[in-house]
Amino acid sequence: MLTMSLFPLSAHAAPSPAYQARAEQLLGILAAPGGEEAYFSSLFLDAVPVDRWRAIAADLRAQHGQPMALGAVSQTSDTAGQVEIRYERATVGFSLVVAPQAPNRVVGLHIVGAKTAQDSLDKVMADIAALPGSSAFAIAKLTDAGPQLLRAQRADAQMATGSSFKLYILAELARATGARQRRWSDVIPLGPKSFSGRLMNWPDKAPMTLHSLATAMIAESDNSASDTLLRALGREKVDAMLATAGHIDAGKALPLLSTAEAFALKMPANADLRQRYETGSLTERRDLLRDAAARLTANKVDVGSVAENPTAIDSIEWFASPTDMIALLDWLRMHGGEALPIMAVNPGIAPADAKRWRYLGYKGGSEPGVMAMNLLAQAQDGSWYAVSGSWNNPAARVEESRFVALMTRAMNLVAN
C-alpha cells in the first residue's frame, strides 16, 4: 500500500468536519452505484449526469481494483481541497470542492493523479497476455535509427484493429499537404456518409475543410469523415501509405475498406459478397468493391445486426500488427505536421494520466470482439515513444474499460 501523498499538504491540512465527512463518503460513492443525488449538488449533476459518473467510477475500478480506504485529506480553502482514495492497486488523488452551506454537497470533483503500487511493465504484459481471445502489444522508443522495441508480445501478429486504420488516411493527408498537393484548408463536400457519428446527420455534401474532416475522423472517430476522406484522397494512395509507413503484411490488410463497405460486407444479406471477398485475390477484392458498390453503402447496413456480437473480425477488418502501428506512428512523428495536433485532441486516456506527457497523440478502434489503442508520446525529457496494443475475441465482446486500464498502466509506467 502506498503511503506517500500525491500532493503537498498545505497550512489548511486539518479539514473541517463537513469537508472530512464528504471526503469519507467519497469512498462509498466510488465503490458502488447509489447515493449520488444526496452526495453531489445539482450543479455537478447537470455537468456530469449520474450515468456518466457511474461509468467514470466503474472505469476507475476496472483500472485500479476496488476502493479500499481513505488516505490523506487536505483542505486548502474553506470549500476546496484534495483527497486520496486507496484502491487495491493504486492510490488516486482527487480535487474535491464542497458547497459552503449545509448540507455541503459536492460541487466539484476531479482526478488529479494516480500512483500504482508495485506495478511493472512485466505485470502489464502478463495481464495483456492473459486476456481471453488473442492479444498483441509493443512499446518502442523512437530514435533516429528507427523504433527500438522495449517490450513486445506477439508484436508482429496481424490483428483486427477497427478504426485504427484511420491513421493511414491521416498519414496520406499529411503526405499530400506536405507535398503541396493538398492544403489543410481545402474545402470538399461531405460524402459518402456512413453510419454513426456526428456528421451522419449533417446535410449531404455540406462543405468541409480537410482539416475539419481529419479532426472529426481522429478525435471523434467519425465514420462519415473517414469515408469522405478515403474517397477524396483516393483509395489507391491511402493503400500505398501502408508500404510507405512500413506495414509488414500489406497483402492481408488491402484494400483498405471504407466503414460502410466493411459493415455492409458483414451483413447476412451480403454473405455471397463476403465469401468472395474472403477468398479473393487483391485484384479480385478491388474488382468486387467496384462492381458491388451499390450493395456496399451505409444505407444497406442494419447496424443492429452487427452491433452486439463479433462478426467476421478475422476476415472483414482492418489488419495491422503492433509493429506496423508503431512504424506508422513513427512516420507521423517525422512527417505528420498538422496531423500531430489533430491526434492530440483526444489523448485516449484520462486527462490526469495524459498530463504526464509533453505530447500525447492517439487513435484507437473498437467494435464487438475488437479493441485497439495506438499512442504516440513525447516524454518530458523530449524523448519519443510509441505504444500499440490490440485485443481480439471472435467469441465474445471485449471489455473496453479493462483494456484501457491496461494501456493506461503501460503509459504511466513508461512516463515514469
Side-chain angles (χ1 to χ4, degrees):
M1 186 74 69
L2 292 179
T3 58
M4 76 286 283
S5 177
L6 293 173
F7 37 79
L9 298 180
S10 71
H12 299 268
S16 69
Y19 193 89
Q20 179 70 28
R22 289 304 185 192
E24 292 173 357
Q25 293 159 4
L26 178 59
L27 184 67
I29 290 292
L30 290 163
E36 292 88 358
E37 290 85 355
Y39 185 75
F40 292 112
S41 69
S42 58
L43 178 67
F44 182 93
L45 292 176
D46 285 344
V48 185
V50 170
D51 287 348
R52 175 163 170 71
W53 163 255
R54 290 179 177 176
I56 292 170
D59 284 346
L60 286 169
R61 293 192 295 272
Q63 182 171 350
H64 303 303
Q66 280 294 121
M68 306 296 291
L70 178 68
V73 179
S74 171
Q75 191 169 356
T76 55
S77 73
D78 290 342
T79 61
Q82 294 169 315
V83 177
E84 287 181 356
I85 298 294
R86 292 174 181 164
Y87 284 74
E88 290 178 280
R89 297 187 293 273
T91 296
V92 181
F94 296 86
S95 171
L96 178 71
V97 182
V98 302
Q101 66 277 3
N104 308 103
R105 287 193 172 93
V106 171
V107 297
L109 184 66
H110 301 280
I111 301 169
V112 297
K115 290 186 179 294
T116 303
Q118 300 178 340
D119 203 6
S120 70
L121 286 173
D122 289 338
K123 289 182 178 180
V124 174
M125 297 277 289
D127 289 345
I128 291 175
L131 293 170
S134 61
S135 59
F137 175 79
I139 302 172
K141 186 171 185 178
L142 306 181
T143 72
D144 292 342
Q148 306 295 315
L149 286 179
L150 303 178
R151 291 289 195 285
Q153 178 221 328
R154 301 180 68 240
D156 291 336
Q158 292 297 309
M159 304 288 289
T161 63
S163 287
S164 302
F165 85 97
K166 295 169 184 176
L167 283 174
Y168 285 107
I169 299 177
L170 183 68
E172 169 54 23
L173 181 52
R175 185 209 63 77
T177 54
R180 300 182 182 273
Q181 298 166 355
R182 302 271 186 170
R183 295 177 300 174
W184 290 98
S185 59
D186 286 349
V187 175
I188 63 172
L190 175 64
K193 291 197 293 185
S194 187
F195 59 91
S196 80
R198 176 171 53 92
L199 297 183
M200 67 179 289
N201 296 316
W202 280 37
D204 292 341
K205 300 183 179 180
M208 299 194 69
T209 66
L210 295 178
H211 191 282
S212 296
L213 286 165
T215 304
M217 175 180 70
I218 299 300
E220 304 170 26
S221 205
D222 192 286
N223 289 334
S224 296
S226 64
D227 287 6
T228 296
L229 285 170
L230 182 62
R231 173 179 285 185
L233 296 172
R235 194 199 313 261
E236 68 284 355
K237 290 186 177 180
V238 178
D239 284 358
M241 181 50 65
L242 273 71
T244 298
H247 196 295
I248 59 178
D249 191 6
K252 183 174 177 61
L254 297 178
L256 284 184
L257 296 165
S258 71
T259 62
E261 289 169 340
F263 285 92
L265 283 169
K266 292 175 184 281
M267 292 290 298
N270 288 328
D272 60 323
L273 296 180
R274 174 173 143 188
Q275 194 276 332
R276 286 170 52 197
Y277 190 88
E278 289 172 337
T279 59
S281 66
L282 177 55
T283 298
E284 290 168 337
R285 289 179 177 184
R286 293 191 191 280
D287 290 345
L288 183 149
L289 294 179
R290 182 192 64 241
D291 297 341
R295 294 174 59 184
L296 301 177
T297 57
N299 61 0
K300 301 295 195 302
V301 176
D302 175 9
V303 177
S305 69
V306 293
E308 291 301 319
N309 299 306
T311 304
I313 67 168
D314 57 349
S315 58
I316 309 297
E317 251 296 334
W318 299 278
F319 295 102
S321 68
T323 300
D324 297 328
M325 297 310 298
I326 286 172
L328 175 59
L329 291 170
D330 195 32
W331 189 95
L332 283 162
R333 173 182 72 94
M334 294 184 291
H335 308 290
E338 188 60 33
L340 293 181
I342 290 173
M343 291 170 60
V345 173
N346 173 7
I349 60 176
D353 297 304
K355 287 178 180 177
R356 297 171 186 263
W357 299 93
R358 181 186 297 183
Y359 168 87
L360 186 60
Y362 167 77
K363 183 72 191 84
S366 64
E367 64 177 90
V370 175
M371 182 71 181
M373 296 181 68
N374 310 283
L375 300 109
L376 174 64
Q378 186 180 31
Q380 298 299 335
D381 66 3
S383 56
W384 285 87
Y385 297 86
V387 181
S388 178
S390 300
W391 177 16
N392 293 174
N393 190 348
R397 297 179 68 94
V398 299
E399 299 174 60
E400 295 182 11
S401 61
R402 181 179 178 184
F403 195 69
V404 172
L406 289 169
M407 294 294 287
T408 301
R409 286 169 57 198
M411 294 301 298
N412 288 345
L413 287 162
V414 177
N416 290 336

